[in-house]
Amino acid sequence: MVLCFSGFELDRERAELRGPDGVAIKLRPKTCAMLSLFAANAGQVLSKQDLMEAVWPNVHVGDDSLFQCIKEIRTAIGDDRRQMIRLVSGRGYVFEADVLAGEPATPEPAAAEPAAVLPTILPEVPPADQGRPAEPSAIPRVARKSNWRHAAFAVAGLGAIAALAILAIRLTPDLVPARGAPVIAVMPIAAADDDSGAMAANVTTRLADGLAKIENIRVAVPQSGSQAGSGQGADFIVNAELRKTERSWEVRARMTRAATREVVWTAPVSVSADETELSQQQSRLAAGIGHPLALRLGVLLDPAPPVATSDGGSPPGSARVVIEQATASIVQTSRERFETAQTMLEKALAGDPDNSDLAVALAALQMRGVQMVWYNPEERAAAEHRAREVLERALRNKPNSIPVLEAYCRFLNATNEFVESLVACARTLNFDPWNGVGLYHIGLAQMQLGRFDDALASFQQADRFDTPQVSRWTWRLGIGMIYVLTQRGEDALPWLQSSIAITPASGRPYMVLAAAYLQLGRAAEAKTAMDKAIELRPGSNLANVTLPSKNASAAFLAAGDALGRAFVAAGLPEH
């Protein structure tokens, strides 16, 4: 698990690079993962696609993220002249160094994981790759086909075979998953009848593979035998039962604490068997289990600290009441209600400054105020500063919190910090791979960076998972928006109409629908759609519905300008 080159040692087990003097050199986990990939494939040209799909599996990132990792590697290993990581024009990069495999500096005790008791730890392998034989060479080589993002790393070293887990994106370089991460045993989903057996097996695999992507847990699949088959040796055990009704698939899932058999989470899942093709039904069943399970794991593994009331903190439960009251005001269009909610949250957060739930609620409210143009320019700048401040404090206190990461992802998108948003949103997926809100905001950032195909894929992935369902209308709007921006009005129509059917009270889908109708030469329907949009959003005009241009790409600005002209042609006032 140690690769040695040019006096450096890369300890992949510890995710640590040591210099010739033996001192550890700090690297971000993604940078360390890329260096590991380079070292494991020394002398071979790796394309940008190889690198991006290996280091960011199932996440769409831009060249900037790749270049930043390569820059950090070159700085760490003193490759200022770019001789060790060499660009091969038109093909990719090659790692020019002699790499030798060595032993870890401090080998783990042989009894750390008794094979007779613990289940098998899963690598990140999707269903299509299950059963693929491990590569026999001592150092893994990258796959050369477009499905590399679904390939497994097979590593054989010194008589022991281990999976090379892709390291997750972190916002701080010194936070590495603990070696004692809890083990989640995913038991085979029980089928109520013979017809459900294949579906149950597929969903089990998809669920286990998705959970294996969460960076602060380990996932196990039971081996045959009474002890391993019962999940013995795991910290938590996930069970579920699947049955088919006339119109849907129904699952009841639960997770128990292995030591006490206490049920710590349970949820019902229902997916229509009529509306989508089988593969999507399987994805939605796995996501329907995995998304709420990931949220519950986040709470169990990173619980909120107890609130002390002697020094002015809010008594337990009061923060939840304040959040519920303030959240009710977020959806109101009254500025007075908005200001009341902001005052409530500010006061509560002053009394309990480390409460991440209050921080998320306040930041969400302030971003709502920005979107509704309830701040003047000076107030807006102050609101953005305050939202950033409370979210970054919350991140320091709870760096693995899904709600905090999700809120920070949204904030960066709302302030047009698209590259940073891609990183934060991808981190959200490191703890909840089925997070539709994270995927949606990745799509929004990609859209404004002009990467329309990537954005479409992100929105489509969110729709494939469909979690949480309450946000379904947003990614369907996103799909419709991409089609309109790329002049494909016919493709846009069903997605925009579906978005409106789910949430008919939002004006923006009607505006985009109007543009789609105009692209198809249906001017009367375009005007009707725009009239409805203005009815839902009184006072709308081109100036206040156009997205800010800060950090947006030239491709997006050009497509957005064409969209704005369509809005005006359909009846939206310019000012």
Side-chain angles (χ1 to χ4, degrees):
M1 296 301 292
V2 174
L3 300 179
C4 305
F5 58 90
S6 303
F8 293 88
E9 291 184 350
L10 179 61
D11 189 331
R12 294 183 291 178
E13 177 70 19
R14 295 173 176 268
E16 181 178 86
L17 176 67
R18 294 185 287 272
D21 56 1
V23 176
I25 301 170
K26 283 189 175 182
L27 293 176
R28 292 186 304 121
K30 286 297 182 186
T31 303
C32 190
M34 186 173 291
L35 176 58
S36 181
L37 186 65
F38 273 130
N41 294 275
Q44 290 197 21
V45 177
L46 303 181
S47 70
K48 289 197 300 182
Q49 190 71 11
D50 290 334
L51 294 167
M52 294 169 77
E53 291 184 346
V55 179
W56 292 276
N58 298 319
V59 175
H60 298 289
V61 297
D63 290 352
D64 41 15
S65 298
L66 173 70
F67 297 153
Q68 181 64 28
C69 283
I70 292 175
K71 178 181 178 181
E72 290 173 5
I73 293 172
R74 284 172 168 158
T75 299
I77 63 178
D79 187 26
D80 297 335
R81 299 179 62 189
R82 305 187 177 189
Q83 297 299 308
M84 197 175 300
I85 298 179
R86 184 168 58 84
L87 174 65
V88 181
S89 181
R91 295 179 60 196
Y93 295 87
V94 62
F95 190 67
E96 298 280 15
D98 293 327
V99 180
L100 300 175
E103 296 185 5
T106 54
E108 289 297 305
E113 291 185 7
V117 176
L118 280 180
T120 303
I121 304 300
L122 272 179
E124 289 188 18
V125 188
D129 292 322
Q130 295 288 351
R132 180 179 295 174
E135 215 171 294
S137 61
I139 297 178
R141 300 296 177 183
V142 300
R144 287 295 172 190
K145 296 184 179 180
S146 61
N147 65 349
W148 157 249
R149 96 173 51 238
H150 301 303
F153 282 116
V155 183
L158 304 174
I161 298 179
L164 176 60
I166 299 297
L167 297 173
I169 292 176
R170 305 302 298 259
L171 296 184
T172 53
D174 55 345
L175 295 174
V176 179
R179 299 174 66 83
V183 175
I184 315 297
V186 179
M187 310 303 289
I189 295 176
D193 52 65
D194 293 340
D195 293 337
S196 304
M199 176 67 90
N202 188 289
V203 175
T204 301
T205 302
R206 289 174 183 260
L207 174 63
D209 290 341
L211 289 170
K213 297 173 184 177
I214 298 178
E215 71 174 44
N216 59 344
I217 65 172
R218 293 186 296 162
V219 177
V221 290
Q223 299 172 338
S224 59
S226 58
Q227 281 190 330
S230 66
Q232 185 172 341
D235 298 284
F236 298 95
I237 301 173
V238 177
N239 295 92
E241 299 85 35
L242 171 71
R243 69 186 184 94
K244 175 75 179 296
T245 68
E246 184 178 348
R247 303 291 300 274
S248 65
W249 295 99
E250 307 288 339
V251 173
R252 169 65 68 173
R254 73 192 63 79
M255 181 170 67
T256 57
R257 199 182 299 273
T260 63
R261 298 295 170 177
E262 172 195 6
V263 177
V264 295
W265 170 82
T266 183
V269 180
S270 178
V271 170
S272 171
D274 299 328
E275 297 179 2
T276 59
E277 43 94 17
L278 183 61
S279 176
Q280 185 153 341
Q281 294 169 25
Q282 294 164 347
S283 291
R284 287 187 173 178
L285 280 171
I289 301 170
H291 171 62
L293 178 56
L295 295 176
R296 180 59 179 153
L297 283 168
V299 173
L300 289 171
L301 302 183
D302 191 18
V307 178
T309 58
S310 58
D311 58 357
S314 303
S318 66
R320 176 60 54 191
V321 173
V322 171
I323 291 169
E324 289 175 355
Q325 292 174 345
T327 302
S329 297
I330 290 178
V331 298
Q332 302 295 330
T333 56
S334 161
R335 176 159 185 163
E336 290 72 25
R337 286 178 177 270
F338 166 78
E339 291 174 344
T340 298
Q342 181 170 257
T343 301
M344 290 167 54
L345 289 170
E346 286 279 14
K347 182 178 179 180
L349 191 60
D352 189 1
D354 292 329
N355 190 306
S356 62
D357 293 333
L358 287 170
V360 167
L362 177 60
L365 182 77
Q366 291 176 317
M367 287 303 96
R368 173 71 171 171
V370 169
Q371 292 168 343
M372 296 299 293
V373 199
W374 282 336
Y375 294 116
N376 62 39
E378 184 177 338
E379 290 173 334
R380 172 177 176 148
E384 289 183 3
H385 177 78
R386 176 59 172 151
R388 184 188 300 276
E389 180 182 67
V390 299
L391 286 175
E392 289 183 349
R393 176 167 183 154
L395 274 173
R396 288 192 296 271
N397 292 334
K398 297 176 77 68
N400 300 344
S401 167
I402 296 170
V404 174
L405 288 167
E406 188 180 291
Y408 194 51
C409 155
R410 291 180 175 186
F411 168 79
L412 292 171
N413 239 335
T415 54
N416 283 45
E417 298 170 76
F418 303 123
V419 174
E420 295 83 353
S421 175
L422 287 175
V423 175
C425 297
R427 257 203 91 206
T428 305
L429 300 183
N430 286 344
F431 296 94
D432 178 8
W434 302 277
N435 192 296
V437 173
L439 284 165
Y440 170 69
H441 282 276
I442 286 174
L444 286 181
Q446 291 166 330
M447 179 180 76
Q448 294 192 255
L449 290 171
R451 294 162 48 191
F452 298 130
D453 288 342
D454 289 344
L456 181 61
S458 295
F459 293 140
Q460 289 172 333
Q461 184 64 73
D463 187 65
R464 189 167 189 82
F465 289 154
D466 204 34
T467 51
Q469 291 184 10
V470 69
S471 298
R472 180 189 299 171
W473 74 279
T474 59
W475 50 72
R476 294 194 174 185
L477 170 60
I479 293 172
M481 174 77 85
I482 293 297
Y483 283 137
V484 170
L485 288 172
T486 53
Q487 300 297 309
R488 290 180 281 178
E490 189 70 40
D491 293 327
L493 284 183
W495 294 99
L496 295 171
Q497 290 163 344
S498 173
S499 177
I500 290 169
I502 296 167
T503 305
S506 177
R508 185 166 289 274
Y510 282 101
M511 293 184 185
V512 183
L513 180 63
Y517 279 137
L518 274 184
Q519 290 178 3
L520 299 173
R522 296 157 63 173
E525 291 166 286
K527 185 178 186 310
T528 300
M530 186 58 71
D531 289 345
K532 183 64 176 178
I534 295 173
E535 176 188 330
L536 291 169
R537 293 184 58 166
S540 291
N541 56 64
L542 185 61
N544 63 28
V545 303
T546 302
L547 294 174
S549 60
K550 174 188 171 185
N551 295 332
S553 68
F556 174 77
L557 292 175
D561 182 62
L563 181 64
R565 291 197 301 271
F567 285 173
V568 172
L572 181 70
E574 290 195 55
H575 302 287

